[in-house]
Amino acid sequence: MIVSNFAVIEGCDGSGTTTQLKQLKKNFSLQNISKNTGFFVTGEPTRGPLGLMIRKILMGKISVQKETLARLFAADRGEHLYAPGGIIERCGRNELVVSDRYTPSSLVYQGLDCGRELPETLNAAFPHPELLIYLDLDTGIVMERIAKRKEKREIYEYMEFQAKVREAYLELLPIYEQAGVRVICLDGSGTPEELAIEIWSKVMEMPIMEKVKKNR
Ligand code: TYD
């Protein structure tokens, strides 16, 4: 199933998904679009109790079996989708929802960590987004960006793993496309400003934005 009005942004660590989501939120406010439609910028792991626990695991503060982490990501996603005020409710009332990461992250990261079967099973019943934007970045640049950060590295932020992450994304994208998702692959090596313009134009092509453009 595809959820209309739902877009996700994906990429390796350091590919800029979080920066781009912040920029997108700013653009929506600047363009005054919220007057005509609700929009909700969100992300996974969420800021809910399960998401916060996942962040502690990613930072190495708590240690669990990798399969447990895969299950936690799926449980957090279930809340993100179906809890009151969640993705399904918002998209259903014609709000635009854009998420920093979703099922592709689990299929890629947990697929590499614990084999494809478990994340595929855990995520099989979750609906697809209407639009999937993937920020593609050379693994060398990913590692340079991670090295420049002040925070301690998370468990997946190592060269060998990130190279496999990129490969796994490139293999996975056609599967989403075959399922009817509009998949856009953007070069993540440009400046954040350049990338923000491209992302903005793709989001503006979503059918929900047609109504907004007409009402402005
Ligand atoms: P994120 O907050 O996007 O990290 P960053 O801002 O450093 O890119 O995501 C945190 C990490 O969680 C990232 O390494 C990807 C990983 N992740 C998974 O392994 N599985 C998932 O299902 C999701 C949503 C994220």
Side-chain angles (χ1 to χ4, degrees), residues 13 18 55 58 73 77 101 105-106 109-110 149 156:
D13 290 78
T18 309
R55 287 193 189 274
L58 294 175
F73 271 118
R77 183 161 300 129
R101 302 189 179 279
S105 285
S106 279
Y109 286 77
Q110 281 63 59
R149 286 188 192 156
Y156 296 133

Side-chain angles (χ1 to χ4, degrees), residues 110-175:
Q110 281 63 59
L112 290 168
D113 218 8
C114 38
R116 287 165 64 162
E117 203 180 321
L118 181 65
E120 275 177 13
T121 307
L122 290 170
N123 287 279
F126 293 138
H128 290 313
E130 179 187 314
L131 174 68
L132 192 173
I133 298 177
Y134 168 67
L135 307 184
D136 187 43
L137 200 56
D138 174 78
T139 312
I141 303 179
V142 167
M143 292 316 297
E144 269 173 35
R145 290 190 184 175
I146 290 174
K148 275 189 200 150
R149 286 188 192 156
K150 289 194 195 85
E151 309 97 68
K152 192 172 164 274
R153 283 186 193 192
E154 292 183 349
I155 56 174
Y156 296 133
E157 295 182 333
Y158 292 90
M159 179 86 176
E160 212 178 291
F161 192 83
Q162 289 298 320
K164 290 189 195 148
V165 166
R166 187 186 192 195
E167 249 173 59
Y169 267 118
L170 295 175
E171 260 176 47
L172 184 68
L173 296 179
I175 298 172

Side-chain angles (χ1 to χ4, degrees), residues 196-214:
I197 291 169
E198 286 190 76
I199 293 176
W200 180 252
S201 77
K202 298 299 169 197
V203 169
M204 288 306 281
E205 282 166 19
M206 291 173 79
I208 187 177
M209 301 318 287
E210 287 305 317
K211 286 177 236 153
V212 174
K213 282 188 264 180
K214 271 188 211 144

